[in-house]
Amino acid sequence: MASGNIMRLDRLLTTLGEGTRAQVKEMVRAGRVTVCGVPARDSGMQVDAGSMEVRLDGRRLEYKAVRHVMLNKPQGTLTAARDKKQKTVMDLLPPLYAAMGCMPAGRLDKDTEGLLIITSDGQLAHRIISPKKDVSKVYFARVSGVLGEDDIAAFAAGLHIADSDGAFDAKPAGLEIVSTDGACSEVRVRVSEGKYHQVKRMLASRGAPVVYLRREKIGALSLDPALAPGQWRELTEEEVALLDV
Ligand code: URA
């Protein structure tokens, strides 16, 4: 049965990062590529990538129509599909992901670390980002200053933010004080919207400017602690289901 993934053989191999179009042509000419067990003779032949068995040097090539990546975004990279001057999160992945239309679902500031989903599924990205979906995001922050019960209550009531970036009424949010030493505090903030510099502005409005920020959770999905900043992996099916809200 056709799966809707019909494309040229050379496009399949280049998308999977196996070489340039010219290199793929040469691989086919050399008899290294088989389609359903038969050596391919034309790199321009049409294949159904979802259902036909394509092998290179005997190795089965795995084609997936959609890809979802969990990245531990490092500080110093831009959350953007591309940028002329600066390194973006897409530069941390093999070219296959950009070729398949993967894009970051939402945005973390350049100096923010942590959980970022990069996906080729626009609907999934929309579910993660849309304020209407109310998907919560949990951040760990180190701030200068001391926060207390009145700040927890102010977050829960909904902060009014008015600063040099503009004004808005934040939805009620969670604030948990993890530790404090009299000069600095470590906190967890739970928000369900993503206004510009939202968490930094909320904490600054309480006299506690952020010195370090990391996203730990999106909805029920947690950042894999095995991923160091800059590392990534594809989401499992169970993890994708956690985002299906
Ligand atoms: N809030 C911020 O202030 N920055 C981020 O990167 C994410 C949420």
Side-chain angles (χ1 to χ4, degrees), residues 5 7 12 15-16 49-50 61-68 96-97 100 120 234-237:
N5 294 311
M7 63 183 77
L12 172 65
T15 301
L16 291 174
L61 301 181
E62 192 197 2
Y63 178 80
K64 289 189 205 164
V66 277
R67 303 243 173 194
H68 315 286
L96 155 70
Y97 292 91
M100 293 198 62
S120 62
E234 291 205 0
L235 292 182
T236 64
E237 277 177 28

Side-chain angles (χ1 to χ4, degrees), residues 80-93:
R82 68 189 74 81
D83 190 86
K84 284 204 181 96
K85 295 199 183 107
Q86 301 187 62
K87 189 167 174 168
T88 76
V89 290
M90 295 307 296
D91 295 323
L92 299 169
L93 306 180

Side-chain angles (χ1 to χ4, degrees), residues 24-244:
V24 169
K25 194 168 183 180
E26 183 51 33
M27 291 170 190
V28 170
R29 202 196 54 76
R32 295 170 56 194
V33 182
T34 58
V35 177
C36 300
V38 180
R41 291 203 296 170
D42 175 8
S43 61
M45 74 181 280
Q46 297 284 313
V47 294
D48 183 333
S51 66
M52 291 163 89
E53 190 183 282
V54 179
R55 290 180 184 265
L56 171 61
D57 296 330
R59 173 170 54 89
R60 174 101 195 238
L61 301 181
E62 192 197 2
Y63 178 80
K64 289 189 205 164
V66 277
R67 303 243 173 194
H68 315 286
V69 164
M70 168 190 288
L71 169 71
N72 185 352
K73 178 193 168 296
Q75 291 183 323
T77 45
L78 279 191
T79 308
R82 68 189 74 81
D83 190 86
K84 284 204 181 96
K85 295 199 183 107
Q86 301 187 62
K87 189 167 174 168
T88 76
V89 290
M90 295 307 296
D91 295 323
L92 299 169
L93 306 180
L96 155 70
Y97 292 91
M100 293 198 62
C102 287
M103 307 270 262
R107 194 176 285 269
L108 291 177
D109 296 338
K110 189 173 172 185
D111 60 359
T112 301
E113 227 170 70
L115 178 58
L116 186 70
I117 302 300
I118 297 176
T119 177
S120 62
D121 180 345
Q123 287 181 354
L124 178 71
H126 178 74
R127 286 202 294 279
I128 293 171
I129 302 165
S130 170
K132 287 196 193 118
K133 296 284 178 188
D134 250 357
V135 174
S136 67
K137 280 99 187 173
V138 176
Y139 294 85
F140 170 87
R142 212 163 283 132
V143 299
S144 81
V146 176
L147 293 161
E149 290 303 324
D150 50 339
D151 301 297
I152 294 174
F155 267 61
L159 294 169
H160 175 69
I161 308 292
D163 57 21
S164 55
D165 287 320
F168 70 98
D169 287 312
K171 287 187 191 173
L175 174 66
E176 177 201 341
I177 298 168
V178 178
S179 69
T180 181
D181 67 1
C184 296
S185 309
E186 292 187 334
V187 298
R188 261 195 194 92
V189 176
R190 178 185 292 271
V191 290
S192 56
E193 54 187 345
K195 298 258 172 27
Y196 181 63
H197 294 333
Q198 172 130 9
V199 174
K200 290 176 185 164
R201 292 166 75 191
M202 288 168 84
L203 287 163
S205 79
R206 302 300 299 176
V210 167
V211 293
Y212 168 80
L213 189 63
R214 179 177 70 234
R215 182 154 66 191
E216 296 182 328
K217 260 181 122 170
I218 297 174
L221 177 69
S222 298
L223 176 64
D224 181 342
L227 294 177
Q231 293 185 328
W232 62 275
R233 64 166 171 77
E234 291 205 0
L235 292 182
T236 64
E237 277 177 28
E238 292 75 20
E239 287 172 331
V240 176
L242 291 179
L243 295 171
D244 196 7

